Amino acid sequence: MDNIGHGGKEIVERILPKSAAIKRLSELRAAKVKELPVRLQIATEVIDIAYGFFSPLEGFMTKADVESVCDNMTLADRKTAWSIPIVFDISDDDLKKSGIKQYDEVLLTYTGNPFAIFDVTDIFSLDKKEVAMKVYGTTEDKHPGVKRTYQYQDKFLGGKITLLNPPKINEPFTRFWLTPKQMRERFQEKGWEMIINHQTRNVPHTGHEWLMKGAYLGAYGSMMVDKPRGGVLVNAIIGEKREGDYIDEAIILCQEAQGKYGYFREDIFLTTCSLWDMRYAGPREAVFHACLRTNLGCTHHMFGRDHAGVGSYYDPYDAHRIFNKLPDGSLRIKPIFNLDWWFCPVCDEVTYMGLCGHKDKKASFSGTLIRSIIQDGVKPPRRIFRPEVFDIIMECAEKYGFGSAFVNEQYLKNRQPVFTIEPLK
Amino acid sequence: MAEETYPINLWINEERLEKLQQAGLSSMCKEVLAGLKVLAVPNTAAQRDKVLKMFPMAKFDTATTKSIELLPKAVKDKIFDLVVQKKSLNIMDDFLKS
Ligand SMILES: [Zn+2]
């Protein structure tokens, strides 16, 4: 597999090898370059940029990029599709205090340790309300993406990032963390020519399982069946949580269980994670997910009903329609569109809106319904929910969730961080 | 048409089913999903509002389940126990008083 990512460009990797990083750090400190501590939100995206999850981005966006993303859904080159601004914000005060100027080299630190070099080439402000309207289609701060936009400080810095100090990914996420290049190597080892991405921030029930299996069968097409030539990649989004979400540990371990317990053959199934704070931008987030998974080396991407939506801001199939509006050749990944699934008592199986003719008898099982059952500590029937997955949820609740499989205040405050930046030595 | 109720769904596993059978209440369960049983405890609009006020984490899910959701397990266990004890589904006033 080549290393060509979104936009037809080589996957970005901007990481200094350890010895070079140590040397560079001492040079920077000797030259007394400005240092700037960053918060988790920014640190996450520094990592994403440096490893090429956001290829072809090499840094935080300049004003020209942000404006073009808002107006044209492309980067400033007017060619490369991009739907969500990736920005580095700073308060007026901190900007003044730091003395950072255009073309400065800045040392970013995280949790007190050296982290990355930021070549600041642009300093700008944005009309946040306008950004919100263009990206999210609303200016209501009830929308979590809009809320995040409004919470940004008043100034923004654009420019390239170089990682000095790679993150230590903590358990239980370690084995699920593969960079885009590592992901491509893994696919090559597995002999996969077709890789279907399943986007998730949930623990799986059989509705999800059915959709993945349907996508696999559909996309496999007329490839020879002599050996597995394709597989399903569950790429779980790990990032900022909201109360009531499943805890990250349960999400990743339960997804893995589908392969471990044979609901998918292990040679056609892989679970990994990507670090990303969901913006719930519906259709625009769907386009972003397509770019992200192109960079991971996927050939297909599933988009369900109300993909990455929130509340009633988007029509359930807006996230499908947006792909018809992109110019041909904008994406190097093929969308697979899914309708709803349900349990049909007549077919006596989990089935699909596009197949089952007993719509009036259907028993839908939304995430809310499944959560309600799990919260009662009741094991759902195996046709709805795999018993091994249920057991793992209960284990995770005890081990990682302070007694709950769902995010609560205590989890937000006291959970183990997904990654840490250690001293650079 | 029957008056709208705002149910609290108690999901029934074997342990709960046994208790219901002993109380002679098992016929009150409905099968909803591949054999999964639920006991829907009805609320009036006023009772629903009191429940939501008493437990701020709870929500009335208008979108999909049309029921009061996100109540802590301990609360739902207590409601279940009251149903068994009173051998009735009309226990919400008692529950709210306690
Ligand atoms: Zn059917």
Side-chain angles (χ1 to χ4, degrees):
Chain A
M1 184 176 282
D2 60 24
N3 276 329
I4 301 301
H6 175 59
K9 302 217 178 77
E10 185 87 9
I11 292 293
V12 168
E13 251 192 18
R14 300 182 57 85
I15 302 143
L16 283 188
K18 195 165 186 179
S19 57
I22 291 171
K23 188 164 165 264
R24 193 81 188 88
L25 178 66
S26 62
E27 287 165 9
L28 293 169
R29 289 224 154 120
K32 292 201 165 52
V33 300
K34 287 146 195 158
E35 297 194 16
L36 199 56
V38 296
R39 63 185 190 275
L40 176 60
Q41 253 183 22
I42 297 282
T44 299
E45 298 194 342
V46 165
I47 293 168
D48 284 328
I49 291 166
Y51 283 100
F53 288 88
F54 292 171
S55 284
L57 296 192
E58 297 181 298
F60 286 95
M61 289 184 175
T62 61
K63 183 161 190 166
D65 276 329
V66 178
E67 283 180 344
S68 187
V69 165
C70 291
D71 294 336
N72 314 308
M73 223 166 63
T74 68
L75 298 179
D77 66 3
R78 293 286 205 115
K79 286 201 307 257
T80 310
W82 201 277
S83 49
I84 310 258
I86 304 294
V87 292
F88 188 112
D89 63 320
I90 183 169
S91 70
D92 267 320
D93 245 19
D94 285 347
L95 184 60
K96 266 183 215 136
K97 255 189 271 165
S98 71
I100 292 171
K101 291 187 194 59
Q102 199 181 13
Y103 306 120
D104 272 355
E105 205 174 27
V106 175
L107 175 64
L108 301 181
T109 61
Y110 181 61
T111 55
N113 290 317
F115 183 36
I117 304 170
F118 188 14
D119 289 299
V120 178
T121 50
D122 196 11
I123 301 176
F124 56 100
S125 15
L126 290 168
D127 182 338
K128 291 188 226 173
K129 219 169 175 172
E130 196 186 321
V131 171
M133 192 63 211
K134 286 178 174 166
V135 175
Y136 300 103
T138 174
T139 54
E140 282 179 21
D141 65 0
K142 265 196 334 223
H143 185 298
V146 174
K147 188 170 161 201
R148 180 186 176 112
T149 306
Y150 292 169
Q151 281 169 346
Y152 287 142
Q153 302 295 336
D154 287 330
K155 286 284 185 320
F156 297 87
L157 307 179
K160 290 186 185 179
I161 284 292
T162 308
L163 193 68
L164 289 172
N165 194 1
K168 175 173 170 283
I169 306 294
N170 297 316
E171 291 299 345
F173 302 100
T174 320
R175 68 175 178 280
F176 302 104
W177 165 257
L178 294 178
T179 68
K181 282 194 178 165
Q182 288 170 340
M183 206 95 73
R184 287 154 182 262
E185 281 162 21
R186 186 68 66 88
F187 297 150
Q188 199 155 26
E189 282 162 26
K190 285 177 163 290
W192 291 358
E193 299 157 31
M194 167 201 86
I195 302 110
I196 301 166
N197 184 83
H198 175 60
Q199 145 71 27
T200 190
R201 53 195 164 88
N202 262 311
V203 305
H205 52 58
T206 54
H208 302 124
E209 189 187 308
W210 195 98
L211 290 181
M212 286 190 267
K213 287 176 172 169
Y216 178 85
L217 293 174
Y220 202 93
S222 50
M223 288 196 297
M224 296 301 282
V225 293
D226 52 340
K227 57 176 187 172
R229 290 172 187 273
V232 175
L233 173 72
V234 175
N235 186 236
I237 289 291
I238 303 293
E240 236 163 46
K241 305 299 285 184
R242 300 195 298 167
E243 273 189 51
D245 288 347
Y246 283 102
I247 59 174
D248 285 330
E249 294 82 355
I251 295 171
I252 199 85
L253 294 171
C254 289
Q255 291 290 347
E256 182 193 37
Q258 297 177 98
K260 199 166 158 190
Y261 294 101
Y263 298 101
F264 289 87
R265 263 170 58 167
E266 285 208 84
D267 55 358
I268 65 132
F269 191 75
L270 181 66
T271 304
T272 66
C273 62
S274 291
L275 304 175
W276 170 249
D277 296 336
M278 287 286 297
R279 311 293 211 267
Y280 302 92
R284 274 192 179 240
E285 182 123 0
V287 172
F288 171 78
H289 289 166
C291 303
L292 172 68
R293 273 55 185 253
T294 304
N295 289 331
L296 303 187
C298 298
T299 56
H300 295 71
H301 197 303
M302 295 162 59
F303 295 98
R305 186 181 184 278
D306 201 24
H307 186 95
V310 62
S312 50
Y313 288 103
Y314 311 105
D315 176 88
Y317 297 105
D318 276 353
H320 293 184
R321 289 182 203 109
I322 195 166
F323 288 94
N324 292 331
K325 293 179 196 153
L326 292 173
D328 278 349
S330 305
L331 298 175
R332 304 164 64 86
I333 194 166
K334 204 169 173 168
I336 298 177
F337 299 134
N338 297 131
L339 295 167
D340 253 353
W341 71 88
W342 52 60
F343 178 78
C344 172
V346 184
C347 299
D348 195 25
E349 63 189 9
V350 173
T351 181
Y352 185 59
M353 188 179 177
L355 291 174
C356 167
H358 312 109
K359 192 176 176 191
D360 53 333
K361 307 246 175 23
K362 70 171 179 171
S364 296
F365 50 113
S366 63
T368 319
L369 185 74
I370 296 285
R371 171 174 312 178
S372 176
I373 301 166
I374 290 172
Q375 224 166 6
D376 274 21
V378 170
K379 194 178 249 187
R382 66 180 307 129
R383 269 177 294 175
I384 298 301
F385 206 88
R386 303 308 187 181
E388 297 90 343
V389 172
F390 180 83
D391 293 342
I392 293 174
I393 292 187
M394 293 299 140
E395 271 171 47
C396 286
E398 288 313 312
K399 195 165 172 192
Y400 304 107
F402 307 92
S404 166
F406 304 98
V407 172
N408 55 26
E409 234 172 281
Q410 202 181 356
Y411 179 82
L412 288 174
K413 228 167 87 190
N414 299 323
R415 70 172 296 190
Q416 275 280 344
V418 177
F419 68 86
T420 39
I421 299 296
E422 311 210 305
L424 180 59
K425 285 191 287 217
Chain B
M1 213 180 119
E3 209 175 311
E4 187 171 358
T5 66
Y6 304 91
I8 294 171
N9 287 331
L10 302 173
W11 300 98
I12 305 304
N13 56 9
E14 273 170 30
E15 188 194 330
R16 281 181 169 175
L17 186 62
E18 210 167 285
K19 286 185 188 165
L20 288 176
Q21 277 162 344
Q22 280 165 11
L25 297 171
S26 56
S27 62
M28 286 179 176
C29 299
K30 270 191 314 197
E31 271 200 20
V32 284
L33 202 58
L36 181 64
K37 291 185 174 66
V38 68
L39 189 68
V41 178
N43 284 259
T44 62
Q47 286 168 335
R48 172 201 62 192
D49 294 343
K50 274 188 202 156
V51 170
L52 294 180
K53 207 170 157 197
M54 200 178 277
F55 305 102
M57 76 295 277
K59 282 202 175 77
F60 184 71
D61 178 45
T62 47
T64 54
T65 61
K66 316 245 183 297
S67 52
I68 300 172
E69 292 300 336
L70 302 177
L71 284 170
K73 182 171 189 300
V75 173
K76 292 180 78 172
D77 283 344
K78 201 169 160 199
I79 295 172
F80 179 81
D81 291 344
L82 261 178
V83 169
V84 172
Q85 193 193 323
K86 305 261 173 188
K87 296 191 196 301
S88 162
L89 288 178
N90 296 314
I91 48 90
M92 284 313 288
D93 276 337
D94 290 333
F95 171 77
L96 289 164
K97 262 183 250 152
S98 67

